[in-house]
Amino acid sequence: TLVGNLMHQRPECVFSISATTRPPRPSERDGVDYQFLTREEFERRRDAGEFLEWAEVHGKLYGTPARPVEEHVRAGRVVVLDIDVQGGASVRRTRPDAVSVFVYPPSLEVLRERLASRGTEMPEELERRMRNAPGELARYVEYDYLVINDDLESASARLLAIFDGERARVRRLRPVPSSHMTRKEQP
């Protein structure tokens, strides 16, 4: 939901569609929500170096296809990835220009409620995710920013503020034309 709000508010963003070996959920479409691959096809692409990052999470493989990300970056777009902590660590190693934001639930109980209300995981899968959650949540310190997803409106506003702040960083700006400077500022 937070990523959807960001994409709606900042049209220069493009969402990176991850690949996965997990089966699609009822509302998901191949090529729109994920690229759903067999384990064999995923491993072939991984071994060919086609992923920016990949990880095994909860027994399933997930990865970010590198080529579309690079094409969008070259075209001046901001690519948004929705990935787990393993993938985040990999991206930070390979792309030091990446900005990482950790979205943190207000509590483990709320996380459980949100996952359960989706109705997309079998009970054993939900339990595995909850067992792994404390270790994953502890990794927030590795990220550039933390957004606590306690209230959707506030969390969305914080994510937009991070986005806007990063876009205004001098090191990210293209050279400013001299016509935008006042007479006093020009060298």
Side-chain angles (χ1 to χ4, degrees):
T1 302
L2 291 175
V3 169
N5 288 348
L6 175 66
M7 306 292 288
H8 178 73
Q9 295 290 322
R10 300 297 182 266
E12 63 269 35
C13 292
V14 62
F15 184 69
S16 172
I17 299 171
S18 296
T20 185
T21 60
R22 76 161 173 75
R25 295 176 179 138
S27 64
E28 293 177 329
R29 293 172 294 158
D30 186 40
V32 175
D33 301 293
Y34 282 92
Q35 292 177 19
F36 294 100
L37 306 175
T38 63
R39 189 171 194 93
E40 295 75 25
E41 177 63 13
F42 188 102
E43 290 172 346
R44 184 195 69 72
R45 291 182 187 188
R46 177 199 62 202
D47 295 345
E50 295 181 20
F51 292 117
L52 173 65
E53 59 81 27
W54 71 273
E56 185 161 352
V57 182
H58 310 298
K60 306 295 184 208
L61 297 172
Y62 292 82
T64 301
R67 190 171 67 207
V69 170
E70 295 305 324
E71 289 171 356
H72 287 304
V73 168
R74 277 195 302 276
R77 296 182 195 96
V78 176
V79 182
V80 178
L81 284 68
D82 182 0
I83 55 179
D84 77 303
V85 293
Q86 293 176 70
S90 181
V91 168
R92 286 190 303 279
R93 280 192 303 275
T94 59
R95 294 296 307 247
D97 60 328
V99 176
S100 59
V101 179
F102 194 103
V103 178
Y104 201 97
S107 70
L108 285 173
E109 293 77 27
V110 170
L111 176 62
R112 177 183 291 282
E113 289 169 13
R114 288 176 180 174
L115 291 172
S117 71
R118 293 190 321 193
T120 57
E121 276 94 11
M122 298 298 290
E124 61 274 6
E125 177 65 20
L126 177 62
E127 289 310 312
R128 180 181 354 186
R129 291 188 71 163
M130 291 309 300
R131 281 192 307 274
N132 293 340
E136 292 175 347
L137 293 173
R139 295 184 66 182
Y140 79 90
V141 297
E142 300 170 16
Y143 286 69
D144 298 318
Y145 297 96
L146 175 68
V147 171
I148 298 175
N149 191 7
D150 50 356
D151 170 76
L152 182 57
E153 189 175 324
S154 298
S156 289
R158 287 190 292 273
L159 187 57
L160 284 168
I162 291 165
F163 178 86
D164 292 340
E166 284 294 327
R167 291 291 282 184
R169 276 189 188 265
V170 171
R171 68 180 168 90
R172 294 189 189 284
L173 296 175
R174 294 191 168 106
V176 179
S178 60
S179 62
H180 288 282
M181 292 185 213
T182 65
R183 185 171 208 86
K184 194 176 206 177
E185 294 170 324
Q186 292 181 355

